[in-house]
Amino acid sequence: MGGTQAIRSGKDGHGGLGNVLSGIAVAVGFALFLGGFVWGALVYRPYTVPTDSMMPTVLPGDRVLAQRIDGGEVRRGDVVIFTDSMWSDSPMVKRVVGIGGDTVKCCGAGGELTVNGTVLDEPYADHAEPASGLAMPPGQAPAASGTPFEVTVPEGNLFLLGDRRAASVDSRAHLQEAGQGTVPRSTVSARVDAVAWPSTAMLERPRTYAALPGGISRPGPLRLQLVAVAAGAALVLLGAAYGPFVRVLGRGRRRERAGVR
């Protein structure tokens, strides 16, 4: 009779513990899911790239996720969002090529960009000339991809280029201004970690800068946040499915026993 009572109660000796564990799974899963989103909202900001100056890395209209950082955290190779009134009143996105003290030069013997005499391997850069009729901001024009220049970046400043070199209004377009086209680190508000829409891709740190003093920056916590959200969703689904699964299993067992009788 004791065994029959346990079966009829749906516990089979373990249902009570299973219900407790499923409840814990749902609670932990919900905390991970919600916590991942909140953490992401605190660390990252979304930004829509309006131009093609960062092609092929980022396409016009792409929605990117940019980690909120202080300008002092910027390293060479980072794709950053900054606002400098000498360039534009709107936020802009470019790649950091040189930091304070660097000598950035174009071009090397093979047409390459160099930093402190080191030739950069830039597989992300597009040097193709754009089609005629390219729309640019009033009074501004992109520099030709191979236009010669040599700039020593002032301390506390950054030298910035677009990946689509022949279609980007960047530091090369401001060489005649104070600072030779560089911008203060304080103008940087975020560093792009990933493209979120319409495609999805993480932005890798270019290895070509790793051997230079200071190295490259470390990726932000975006991957960890995504893992937390995915794990939380899985735990909620598994915990919520436990009750219906046990009920279906219990009905099956009762039918089997009824058939035996």
Side-chain angles (χ1 to χ4, degrees), residues 5-216:
Q5 182 63 33
I7 292 172
R8 289 177 177 173
S9 67
K11 295 181 179 180
D12 207 19
H14 300 285
L17 177 61
N19 288 332
V20 171
L21 292 178
S22 67
I24 292 175
V26 170
V28 172
F30 184 75
L32 284 173
F33 186 82
L34 183 60
F37 272 112
V38 172
W39 185 15
L42 292 174
V43 175
Y44 287 92
R45 55 168 291 191
Y47 179 78
T48 301
V49 177
T51 71
D52 61 359
S53 68
M54 282 301 295
M55 289 177 61
T57 305
V58 184
L59 306 181
D62 276 357
R63 192 76 165 172
V64 300
L65 293 177
Q67 183 184 3
R68 304 172 193 268
I69 62 169
D70 181 84
E73 301 176 54
V74 174
R75 299 291 182 269
R76 302 179 192 86
D78 288 346
V79 176
V80 298
I81 294 174
F82 68 101
T83 305
D84 188 295
S85 59
M86 296 294 292
W87 290 37
S88 171
D89 291 330
S90 301
M92 302 184 70
V93 55
K94 304 293 179 188
R95 187 181 296 276
V96 177
V97 173
I99 61 176
D102 285 347
T103 297
V104 184
K105 184 178 180 179
C106 183
C107 298
E112 311 94 341
L113 195 68
T114 65
V115 174
N116 302 330
T118 299
V119 175
L120 298 182
D121 177 21
E122 298 186 288
Y124 51 79
D126 178 5
H127 296 279
E129 295 296 326
S132 59
L134 180 70
M136 301 303 298
Q140 297 186 16
S145 185
T147 301
F149 64 86
E150 183 172 347
V151 172
T152 298
V153 184
E155 290 297 334
N157 280 26
L158 305 168
F159 191 84
L160 304 159
L161 296 179
D163 285 356
R164 194 179 184 194
R165 296 291 157 81
S168 175
V169 178
D170 47 38
S171 287
R172 298 167 300 164
H174 300 270
L175 293 174
Q176 305 307 314
E177 300 171 6
Q180 291 186 280
T182 63
V183 301
R185 283 180 176 268
S186 59
T187 62
V188 174
S189 59
R191 174 171 54 216
V192 178
D193 259 3
V195 178
W197 188 90
S199 60
T200 303
M202 299 293 294
L203 263 64
E204 301 298 331
R205 271 49 173 178
R207 302 304 304 175
T208 190
Y209 297 96
L212 296 173
I216 54 179

